[in-house]
Amino acid sequence: MAHEWDATTYDSLELPHEEWGRRVLDRLRLAGDERVLDAGCGTGRDAEALLARWPGVRLVALDGSSQMLDVARERLGDGVELVHADLTEPLPLDPAEPVDAVMSVAAFHWVRDHDLLFAHLAAVMRPGARLTSDCGGRGNVRNLDAAIAAALPEPPEVWEFAGVDDTRERLERAGFDVEDVRLREHPFRIEDRATFEAYLASVCLSGYLRDLPEDQHRDFVSAVADGFEAPVIDYVRLEIDAVRR
């Protein structure tokens, strides 16, 4: 999961993640005084929205990117506990103070081993704590994958996004009672070509750009953008609602 981002550019863009975050917050069912873990907090947009709804929440904002946390720190101030940690490793939270809820927006699909992910989350949650999340699900960004493959000399590894049944099984094995797991299509259109390329470079292609010489970045992003029939990314969201057993 640990991955560095151009967090400033990322944070300047209009993101579909904001709607995904609102949907997560709508399902959290907080009283307002809980200790809540934002797992994969990014630049803190969803954490900020959480605190606007429930100012009394004690928030732990965790991310694997130090650049994301730097922007989150500026946005959220000193009242939030910021944790630099990788969701693929045991989480460095005080076991004497388990969290009452976990929220996550657009983060879990970066973790290959969801059995490990859910086990690490369960380990820091009290019994009865809610897990409410959104991430890429089965069928996510297929047109993006096709555009990337067309722009590369050799086919890249295709990322396998989780589906409903396998996610239910993994949650149950990790100690959760599953309320609902579902897939939801959410195509995202960006009409302006420059903005579309900036979005692709910052949000979708950072891992590929990291492995390319800088003087090839612009041409690669442009080639990927040319591979779309329309400036629409075919997002499919996997939404999870579960309770720590």
Side-chain angles (χ1 to χ4, degrees):
M1 168 116 179
H3 173 71
E4 279 304 341
W5 299 79
D6 178 357
T8 301
T9 300
Y10 182 100
D11 197 54
S12 71
L13 295 167
E14 179 183 352
L15 299 174
H17 306 54
E18 295 181 57
E19 180 178 335
W20 305 339
R22 285 192 293 271
R23 290 178 63 89
V24 167
L25 295 181
D26 288 344
R27 305 191 328 261
L28 262 179
R29 304 182 197 171
L30 297 179
D33 59 353
E34 293 91 344
R35 177 171 160 85
V36 178
L37 171 63
D38 184 354
C41 68
T43 61
R45 288 186 181 186
D46 302 304
E48 182 179 43
L50 171 78
L51 293 173
R53 292 198 192 194
W54 298 287
V57 159
R58 293 164 291 136
L59 182 63
V60 181
L62 180 150
D63 205 272
S65 166
S66 59
Q67 291 188 38
M68 289 290 201
L69 288 174
D70 286 344
V71 177
R73 184 176 293 106
E74 293 179 9
R75 169 172 274 128
L76 301 172
D78 297 330
V80 172
E81 181 183 349
L82 296 174
V83 179
H84 185 210
D86 189 331
L87 289 172
T88 65
E89 302 290 339
L91 303 184
L93 302 186
D94 185 354
E97 193 176 7
V99 300
D100 303 301
V102 174
M103 62 176 279
S104 185
V105 182
F108 289 173
H109 54 260
W110 294 105
V111 181
R112 289 186 180 274
D113 188 336
H114 279 195
D115 280 301
L116 198 62
L117 165 68
F118 295 144
H120 289 158
L121 293 174
V124 300
M125 299 170 70
R126 67 165 179 80
R130 297 188 61 78
L131 170 61
T132 307
S133 68
D134 155 280
C135 67
R138 188 69 46 78
N140 191 48
V141 297
R142 282 181 175 163
N143 62 345
L144 171 63
D145 288 340
I148 293 170
L152 292 173
E154 296 182 4
E157 179 184 3
V158 176
W159 192 274
E160 180 65 29
F161 291 93
V164 170
D165 292 340
D166 47 341
T167 296
R168 281 184 172 273
E169 293 170 3
R170 290 164 179 157
L171 286 164
E172 290 167 357
R173 282 197 296 268
F176 289 91
D177 291 324
V178 179
E179 291 184 348
D180 195 16
V181 179
R182 60 198 161 273
L183 293 171
R184 184 176 63 85
E185 295 184 1
H186 187 107
F188 181 61
R189 176 179 289 270
I190 305 175
E191 293 290 359
D192 179 72
R193 172 68 181 225
T195 304
F196 186 52
E197 290 193 12
Y199 183 92
L200 290 174
S202 179
V203 179
C204 305
L205 301 177
S206 59
Y208 293 95
L209 297 178
R210 185 180 60 237
D211 297 331
L212 286 175
E214 189 170 350
D215 62 359
Q216 296 180 25
H217 286 193
R218 182 181 295 243
D219 288 345
F220 176 67
V221 173
S222 180
V224 173
D226 287 341
F228 284 80
E229 293 183 6
V232 178
I233 300 175
D234 290 338
Y235 284 116
V236 177
R237 312 314 299 165
L238 177 71
E239 297 178 330
I240 294 171
D241 294 287
V243 177
R244 179 72 170 94
R245 195 174 304 126

